[in-house]
Amino acid sequence: NKNNVERIRTRLSSKGFKVRTESVQLASGPATRVQVGPYGRKAQAETMRKRIESDLGLKGSVLATR
């Protein structure tokens, strides 16, 4: 929901991450993706994903940009 998205966005931003959101349609209905980055290399993105998980307890995935 919108409150969760804003809470996560604020937590990430306060730690210095560049954050953006994207509205998407899933089979279960509308959702919002919270994205961090971009990073130039996959290894950098993985390092940041692990940092977010350890520092903030948020799980995520590394996705390639188009």
Side-chain angles (χ1 to χ4, degrees):
N1 72 31
K2 288 184 181 184
N3 290 333
N4 284 341
V5 169
E6 192 54 40
R7 182 178 49 81
I8 291 168
R9 188 168 143 109
T10 299
R11 288 177 67 197
L12 289 164
S13 293
S14 73
K15 294 288 186 178
F17 292 101
K18 182 178 176 184
V19 182
R20 65 185 177 285
T21 58
E22 175 186 16
S23 296
V24 295
Q25 184 65 40
L26 304 176
S28 58
T32 303
R33 287 189 179 130
V34 179
Q35 300 174 323
V36 176
Y39 296 99
R41 311 194 105 212
K42 184 177 179 180
Q44 280 180 300
E46 281 294 341
T47 298
M48 292 299 110
R49 183 194 61 77
K50 290 175 186 175
R51 182 174 151 207
I52 289 167
E53 187 171 333
S54 67
D55 290 359
L56 301 172
L58 300 172
K59 296 197 182 274
S61 302
V62 172
L63 304 173
T65 58
R66 296 176 216 166

